[in-house]
Amino acid sequence: MSERPTKAILRVLNGEPVWPLPIWIMRQAGRYLPEYRATRAQAGSFLDLCYNPRLAEEVTLQPIRRFGFDAAILFSDILVIPHALGQEVRFVENEGPKLDPITSLADLKQLKDEIPLEHLDPVFETLDRLSTSLPRETTLLGFCGAPWTVASYMIAGKGTPDQAPARLTAYRDPAFMAALIDRLVKASTAYLIRQIDAGAEAVQIFESFGAALPPALFDTLSLDPIRRIVSGLKAARPQAKAIVFVRGGGSHLARFAAAGVGDALALDWTLDPAQVLPTLPKTVATQGNLDPLALIAGGEALTNGIDRILSAVRGRPHIFNLGHGILPETPTDHVAQLIARVRGA
Ligand code: CP3
């Protein structure tokens, strides 16, 4: 018999309502923190930071020390998967990620068939260190990008409005798209299993670009690949918990729940929990979904935004979070106010 978890986030992921709500925020280790900017400057490039276990551990711990969040999320990036598969990846200051695009089956053949997990050993070492350095009550989260979101960077070589290059590729060359998604499903599943073995207690799958997909492509490119990753992970490591964040996936959430994909579904900031929660089974946990701009604005925008969520999710298994990542211009005292209000409710 498995023991009941005592960490608040794991209790929620088991379907138990917990009050006050546990809280963490997406991109909680990042440029809004002066201590992050200092470590980042020391590391050299962004990828050097991702692959330096001592510094990656340090930046993962920074928001925990400062705010006492209920979860720590591994510091890394979704693009370490294409990097490990052999694609050139760099992060250009103020521009974001740049990759050498792969646009055909012939290009895909140049990449590795199976992910060489030893390329990611520094990431697993970061998790291993964190599993002993974190406070006992803090849940350790691993993560990966969902195949469609990662594929959109691999194909375009950069971030693109509405992921047009990848979408066009999905229509014009479905065989290449299917092969790329399949490669990413296998790589991501193996990667997440190793993250669990290295100490992650739950993982989040980031489908940041769910909003770009038309209904005709959604299931093959988003729902099915995510379902395959979650079921592969759970078949191998039954104790592993999964949070699925599909930004722009609001109209598909009930189908994710019905298909049993994810112990928690994360809501983006456009969704009203008061409307969405009644459409989901009570056993599926949710996460979210304050507008990151309300956190920048502070004042009444912040308190009203928090209170709306709190009243809608009371009695349900819910993890408080933002509806997308925290932005670099966010004042740190607003983050402290957010936590105080959620914990004081
Ligand atoms: O604190 C955490 O949440 C953990 C670390 C984390 C990062 N990226 C660190 C990071 C996580 C979970 C991610 C996921 C990620 N990376 C996503 C999915 C989540 C989302 O926000 O939608 C995506 C799409 C990426 C790809 C990516 N990485 C982009 C587009 C950028 C540049 C954008 C920017 O803000 O500059 C990155 C770089 C990146 N990843 C930074 C951080 C803290 C900033 C880079 C820096 O410090 O110079």
Side-chain angles (χ1 to χ4, degrees):
M1 218 182 81
S2 65
E3 267 177 60
R4 287 184 63 219
T6 51
K7 299 185 182 187
I9 297 235
L10 294 178
R11 286 168 58 200
V12 173
L13 292 176
N14 258 347
E16 187 188 330
V18 173
W19 197 270
L21 299 177
I23 178 170
W24 69 280
I25 62 184
M26 290 189 264
R27 295 279 188 107
Q28 66 190 18
R31 285 166 298 182
Y32 74 107
L33 291 176
E35 58 270 36
Y36 171 83
R37 296 194 297 269
T39 312
R40 171 80 171 72
Q42 211 187 313
S45 79
F46 174 72
L47 275 179
D48 287 340
L49 177 53
C50 292
Y51 293 128
N52 181 322
R54 192 179 57 80
L55 296 183
E57 175 195 27
E58 166 58 23
V59 292
T60 304
L61 290 171
Q62 286 169 349
I64 308 304
R65 280 192 208 115
R66 193 189 261 260
F67 301 116
F69 286 115
D70 293 284
I73 183 159
L74 163 71
F75 189 86
S76 181
D77 199 82
I78 62 169
L79 299 178
V80 298
I81 291 260
H83 195 226
L85 288 172
Q87 192 170 13
E88 184 70 32
V89 177
R90 39 200 192 279
F91 285 84
V92 180
E93 219 57 52
N94 304 319
E95 283 183 50
K98 294 277 180 286
L99 302 81
D100 290 353
I102 62 151
T103 58
S104 66
L105 276 170
D107 289 349
L108 184 59
K109 282 216 178 72
Q110 305 299 310
L111 298 186
K112 301 189 171 79
D113 262 332
E114 266 187 45
I115 185 164
L117 284 174
E118 63 280 7
H119 175 98
L120 297 162
D121 276 345
V123 175
F124 307 131
E125 192 187 327
T126 304
L127 285 168
D128 184 56
R129 296 171 76 110
L130 284 163
S131 52
T132 56
S133 55
L134 278 174
R136 262 189 330 176
E137 64 277 13
T138 314
T139 299
L140 180 54
L141 301 178
F143 73 93
C144 71
W148 157 249
T149 292
V150 176
S152 77
Y153 280 106
M154 294 176 78
I155 291 170
K158 59 185 179 187
T160 45
D162 299 327
Q163 291 69 55
R167 240 160 70 228
L168 199 52
T169 300
Y171 291 122
R172 284 185 173 157
D173 195 349
F176 161 56
M177 198 65 190
L180 177 56
I181 294 281
D182 188 63
R183 184 85 50 102
L184 289 170
V185 165
K186 289 179 178 135
S188 307
T189 307
Y191 181 45
L192 292 183
I193 291 170
R194 275 289 274 121
Q195 290 189 23
I196 295 291
D197 291 346
E201 295 160 293
V203 296
Q204 176 155 318
I205 299 174
F206 287 89
E207 185 75 285
S208 303
F209 301 142
L213 288 170
L217 295 177
F218 190 86
D219 285 14
T220 23
L221 297 186
S222 183
L223 178 56
D224 290 343
I226 295 174
R227 182 196 356 235
R228 286 174 61 199
I229 294 173
V230 173
S231 64
L233 171 66
K234 290 193 172 235
R237 300 294 179 269
Q239 81 281 14
K241 297 287 175 190
I243 306 169
V244 174
F245 173 54
V246 182
R247 186 172 171 220
S251 62
H252 303 283
L253 278 180
R255 291 189 313 116
F256 274 88
V261 183
D263 300 285
L265 297 172
L267 314 182
D268 68 40
W269 78 79
T270 66
L271 297 173
D272 184 352
Q275 290 190 15
V276 171
L277 266 53
T279 69
L280 300 177
K282 280 211 172 72
T283 47
V284 176
T286 45
Q287 177 176 281
N289 73 337
L290 184 72
D291 184 350
L293 294 189
L295 187 58
I296 293 182
E300 274 189 22
L302 177 57
T303 53
N304 291 343
I306 297 168
D307 292 353
R308 251 187 101 103
I309 295 168
L310 294 181
S311 65
V313 306
R314 205 170 177 129
R316 305 273 305 216
H318 187 86
I319 298 164
F320 200 101
N321 204 311
L322 301 182
H324 196 202
I326 187 170
L327 293 160
E329 47 275 57
T330 309
T332 52
D333 56 324
H334 292 183
V335 178
Q337 287 166 32
L338 160 65
I339 295 172
R341 196 164 185 97
V342 170
R343 296 218 166 122

